[in-house]
Amino acid sequence: LYKDGTAQGNPVTASGTSYDFANTITQAGSYTFTVTATGSGAYSDSSPSSQSAALYTVSFDMNGGTGTIPMQLVPNGSTATAPAEPTRTGHKFNGWYSDSSFAEGSKWTFATSTVTAATTLYAKWEASTYEVTLNTNGGTINSGNVTGYTYGQGATLPTVKDMTYTGHDFGGWYDNQELTGNPVTEISTTDTGNKTYYAKWEASTYK
């Protein structure tokens, strides 16, 4: 086995009809292997001869996703195997690209895209968006209403100056109908999932 013309270890002897170099190849590059037919039987009348074929690595850059995907060794002109779809907190997966800047035309289609050189594929992600439901419990949101948020950006919930309810004072937003715990003023940049909040009101007192 050779990488860019340099031998990778000593020659090996293949018994049977195949030999797996997967454990020998540990980094991206252009590989060739030379096969010499020797021995008795079918080859007893043949002089030793060599043939070579280009093998290329396909590596996967998770680009912030979780886990790793094993490198694939692909013959020149063949297609790689589509791996399991990766995951990333707060994001949805938008495919693999051969260009790290996701240039137009660089999206990789495993059924038809052929490997002709050592290739790195980059996972493309889009920040997820989620729904927000605000239960006003009789009040009115005059401004600053929030119906959704994007992961990594978060959102600020309407404040006392944004809320009205005749004869009542606004007491904040709570994540439960019992209005227990601490009031919530914002959705953080690391929050995920749909959110529901409930407005708390207290009857106003007058002199």
Side-chain angles (χ1 to χ4, degrees):
L1 179 71
Y2 297 84
K3 177 180 182 293
D4 301 324
T6 301
Q8 304 293 293
N10 297 320
V12 297
T13 300
S15 58
T17 58
S18 65
Y19 185 86
D20 188 358
F21 284 107
N23 293 328
T24 307
I25 299 176
T26 59
Q27 55 182 281
S30 299
Y31 291 83
T32 62
F33 63 89
T34 300
V35 180
T36 302
T38 61
S40 58
Y43 300 107
S44 60
D45 297 329
S46 302
S47 299
S49 59
S50 298
Q51 294 184 0
S52 63
L55 301 174
Y56 298 112
T57 55
V58 176
S59 304
F60 298 88
D61 188 324
M62 302 295 280
N63 194 22
T66 57
T68 59
I69 296 177
M71 178 182 65
Q72 295 182 21
L73 181 63
V74 181
N76 182 36
S78 297
T79 58
T81 301
E85 188 171 298
T87 59
R88 181 180 176 184
T89 300
H91 292 77
K92 58 182 179 181
F93 178 63
N94 275 353
W96 294 102
Y97 286 74
S98 59
D99 182 80
S100 59
S101 61
F102 313 110
E104 185 176 353
S106 66
K107 187 170 185 178
W108 194 266
T109 304
F110 286 92
T112 57
S113 298
T114 56
V115 178
T116 57
T119 302
T120 299
L121 299 179
Y122 303 87
K124 184 178 182 180
W125 303 98
E126 180 181 342
S128 297
T129 57
Y130 305 99
E131 295 180 357
V132 176
T133 302
L134 299 179
N135 290 288
T136 60
N137 285 334
T140 301
I141 302 174
N142 300 308
S143 62
N145 189 28
V146 176
T147 60
Y149 73 99
T150 301
Y151 180 83
Q153 298 179 13
T156 301
L157 301 182
T159 63
V160 62
K161 65 181 180 60
D162 303 316
M163 307 286 295
T164 56
Y165 184 9
T166 301
H168 294 78
D169 297 321
F170 180 59
W173 294 102
Y174 289 77
D175 60 7
N176 62 90
Q177 289 181 286
E178 292 73 28
L179 307 177
T180 58
N182 297 320
V184 179
T185 59
E186 65 179 7
I187 300 171
S188 76
T189 57
T190 57
D191 274 338
T192 59
N194 298 333
K195 305 289 185 181
T196 300
Y197 298 105
Y198 304 86
K200 181 177 181 179
W201 299 95
E202 297 177 355
S204 300
T205 57
Y206 306 96
K207 292 183 180 180

